[in-house]
Amino acid sequence: MAETPAGFLVPRIDSDCTSCGLCLTTCPGAQFAERLLDGDADPFRGNVLGAWIARAVDERQFHDGQSAGVVTALLAHMMQSRACDGTLVVGPVDQSKRPRPFVARSPEELGFAQGSKYCPCAVNAEVREPAFTKLARPAVVGLSCHAHGLRLLSSSPLCPFASKPIVLGLICTGIYSFHMIDHLQRLARPECLDDDFKGLRFKDKAAYGWPGDVSVYSDRHVRIRVPARERTRARSAFLLPRCHLCFDRMNVLSDLAFGDPWGLRSDPEGWTVVLTRTKAGHEIMTDALAAGAVVGEPVDPESVVAGQKIDSYHRPNWALSRRVWGQMGGVVPDFGFDEAAGGRVDLRQVRAHRRLLEYGVRFCCAENPEEAVRLAQSRMRRTAVLRTISRPWRSMRAFLEKVKTGIGASLRAMGLRKVQG
């Protein structure tokens, strides 16, 4: 996997390629080779055997985790109970600014992998290494695309590992360019220069609690806080455009899926949403609860889906992105199912999606890093100006919606009193 000028990772084809096509059969970006969901499960929800909101019992695992340290707690419990002898995880954003995968063999090593990394990572390069292939009971922590690739690779004659790994999947909203790390570092200047940079956490709840601000670490200043709003503002400028065409925010091919407790809890200490998708994943979660490695309470799976805005936001936006991408002449990935944009299509939304995807293509095709950074900065400035201009109109629209809701409630109350009278 080679890094592009735009700060993403793409396959580098060897000079002795024979065009056999085997790489495409395991590429999660192109297609599904088979129906990978059981029965008639909704591909946006996946199979769900159980749902919890939970937290790690170990205080260090809890406080160092992005949400509540449940992934680390489950993996540590699996290692201690000999259900797992090694886990493929992703290391921290350190001085190199390039987090890399490694195999953790002990609960202590798992601590280095805590926290989210929103930038690319070549997990596929590590699954062929002896450190992973020699594991008798492997586990993998990864995103939806990692889970898709692992499932396809498992059914390939070229599969390098003999034991099917347990996949602990992370609920995903997209992958961002490595240049986003540089951007967040620049916001911490002049306190943190390049030769002073020691690391970064995209979400750190240490100072102000969950969901966490950005923390930039340096020699002279242990932690420099960058407000979370800066991370949010930068997302559309650095997002990989292929992520707009991915239906799987909920990591439906994993054994267990984990995410932030949006719509369920807002405690500053943080909680983790857990979905069990397979029998093996369900047993891991229930064993950890019984052993006291994690504590939690069951929740309605539909409340998790609602909190992640799957039906209200992700599903219609995915369908619209696929439609616009096809109109632009792009190759639409074949997932084995299709879903039209529901209801009447707003032409303004179509134009907005087209501008977003066209920008993403320009950004990805930048000829050098300097051009990519200029494009991203220009987009962020333009977005900031438009947000400022539209703020009064948004406030007025919200006010009118409240008035409309209040009038409707009053009329219904008057009608009810009239009927009762």
Side-chain angles (χ1 to χ4, degrees), residues 176-188:
Y176 303 95
S177 163
F178 287 126
H179 292 308
M180 188 174 183
I181 297 175
D182 298 318
H183 169 71
L184 294 172
Q185 179 196 350
R186 282 192 294 269
L187 294 177

Side-chain angles (χ1 to χ4, degrees), residues 42-60:
D42 183 345
F44 290 89
R45 287 172 164 79
N47 305 307
V48 179
L49 302 183
W52 287 267
I53 186 168
R55 57 158 289 180
V57 171
D58 183 276
E59 287 299 317
R60 182 167 185 176

